[in-house]
Amino acid sequence: MPLLTMKQLMKDSRRLATTDSDPKERYAVGAFNFSTLPEMVGIVEGARMKHAPVILMASLGAVKYIGSLELIAECAKGLAKTYPEVPFCVHLDHAVDLDQIKRAIAAGFTNVMIDASKEPYEVNIQKSKEIAEFAHRYSPYGADGCSVEAELGMLAGREEHVQVSEEDAGKAYTDPTLVPRFVEETGIDALAVAIGTAHGFYKAAPKIRFDLLDEIRKCTDIPLVLHGGTGVPDEDFRKCVAMGMSKINVGTGLKKVYTDAVRQAICDLPDTEYDPRKIVGPGRHAIMEEIAGKCDLFNCTGTAEKILQSIYG
């Protein structure tokens, strides 16, 4: 089974979001950051438990730690062959260097995010368009082999090297009036929106602008993406999904789940135990359980077969 694209994974989700479908039928695809192979496997295994789609996200820090874009892409390809029943893609998250993004596309990433959200609007359009045209033209999988996400507006907090203060983010919610032109001129496949979430842990529950989400949803037919998923209350997640959010990113919270499990394993194991599998294995299992729970929360449990049938018949 080849790797899929984000566009393929979210086509049905966005269709439901843009029609008069029952809000209870709508779902979002979870996107989760990883830094190691055990985390990658845990994410896919969690999705398999729930017969759900999933998106594997590599941050710039993960690329540096693992060693190369090519290594990550090849690992993802191997996972796709091992778990053919799980529709998933491999995504480069919050990338700002255009050359690096193009290398990721050439290496076999099936989704990339160009984050020019801190740039002026016109520059954001220019850079996002350049990446979308490159991805659709030069992906090794053909014209539809790599989809592109861009961001309009800014989220507070830190995402690897990208840092935005709460004050600046408060001034930079996604402006619905700018969305139609941005989407049309860039040719992107998904839009990350700033509606009140932030990267990292929250000091208090976020105040999500659901009114803004409703306006944005009416402005475009492409899938919408929610960043800063760690710490968002479950009821807010459910409301975002019911209102048409198609992709939800979770990073920091997953790191905590993995690290807590590994720390506990080290504490529980005798000093004479040196098998790394017994140390990181509980971390992989903890991630699997966390992903399974998020699939239920995002309402995408049981949608894998429908997605695969829509692609392959």
Side-chain angles (χ1 to χ4, degrees):
M1 176 73 66
L3 287 166
L4 301 179
T5 67
M6 176 195 65
K7 185 177 180 179
Q8 289 173 314
L9 292 181
M10 298 194 297
K11 181 179 179 180
D12 183 59
S13 171
R14 191 53 183 156
R15 177 188 63 79
L16 291 171
T18 54
T19 63
D20 292 329
S21 62
D22 185 343
K24 293 180 180 179
E25 295 180 357
R26 295 172 181 169
Y27 66 91
V29 180
F32 305 95
N33 284 108
F34 64 86
S35 298
T36 65
L37 180 58
E39 292 171 87
M40 293 177 73
V41 176
I43 291 169
V44 176
E45 287 182 333
R48 180 176 66 167
M49 284 176 59
K50 292 295 183 174
H51 304 280
V54 75
I55 296 172
L56 294 172
M57 294 199 303
S59 66
L60 300 185
V63 174
K64 183 177 180 180
Y65 177 76
I66 292 172
S68 72
L69 295 162
E70 290 76 14
L71 181 53
I72 292 173
E74 291 303 319
C75 286
K77 292 174 191 177
L79 284 172
K81 293 178 181 178
T82 306
Y83 299 93
E85 68 274 37
V86 181
F88 74 91
C89 74
V90 61
H91 167 76
L92 181 65
D93 199 31
H94 283 285
V96 296
D97 184 290
L98 301 189
D99 289 337
Q100 183 185 41
I101 299 172
K102 292 175 182 178
R103 290 197 303 272
I105 295 166
F109 277 67
T110 52
N111 197 67
V112 294
M113 179 190 181
I114 165 64
D115 186 356
S117 59
K118 294 184 73 172
E119 303 280 4
Y121 180 67
E122 297 295 338
V123 177
N124 193 349
I125 286 179
Q126 176 188 348
K127 290 187 174 183
S128 299
K129 179 180 179 180
E130 180 176 341
I131 291 301
E133 289 180 345
F134 185 93
H136 299 156
R137 186 178 304 170
Y138 294 110
S139 166
Y141 305 115
D144 296 321
C146 183
S147 47
V148 176
E149 174 185 330
E151 185 170 322
L152 192 56
M154 292 187 290
L155 274 69
R158 175 182 289 274
E159 176 69 22
E160 299 293 349
H161 63 289
V162 180
Q163 184 169 1
V164 179
S165 70
E166 292 184 11
E167 181 181 357
D168 287 341
K171 302 174 184 176
Y173 287 110
T174 302
D175 183 345
T177 65
L178 300 179
V179 169
R181 180 186 166 212
F182 186 83
V183 170
E184 180 179 359
E185 293 195 14
T186 59
I188 58 171
D189 303 290
L191 179 67
V193 295
I195 57 172
T197 54
H199 293 123
F201 289 113
Y202 294 100
K203 297 177 182 177
K207 296 179 180 179
I208 297 180
R209 290 281 307 277
F210 293 107
D211 59 324
L212 198 56
L213 173 57
D214 185 55
E215 290 185 55
I216 296 168
R217 184 181 67 85
K218 295 173 181 176
C219 290
T220 180
D221 289 334
I222 68 169
L224 301 180
V225 182
L226 182 73
H227 285 240
T230 295
V232 172
D234 287 358
E235 58 269 25
D236 285 355
F237 273 137
R238 294 189 184 98
K239 188 169 182 178
C240 283
V241 172
M243 291 181 66
M245 196 67 71
S246 292
K247 173 175 176 266
I248 297 176
N249 290 17
V250 178
T252 305
L254 205 63
K255 291 178 183 177
K256 184 179 187 303
V257 166
Y258 181 79
T259 304
D260 285 350
V262 171
R263 283 175 174 157
Q264 188 62 50
I266 292 173
C267 290
D268 294 342
L269 290 169
D271 293 340
T272 54
E273 180 57 70
Y274 301 109
D275 187 344
R277 293 169 295 183
K278 294 183 179 180
I279 296 173
V280 300
R284 167 176 157 179
H285 183 77
I287 279 185
M288 180 180 68
E289 295 292 338
E290 182 72 10
I291 298 304
K294 286 295 190 288
C295 289
D296 287 341
L297 181 60
F298 300 160
N299 206 35
C300 63
T301 292
T303 62
E305 185 177 356
K306 179 170 61 173
I307 291 171
L308 292 173
Q309 285 183 344
S310 71
I311 297 170
Y312 299 111

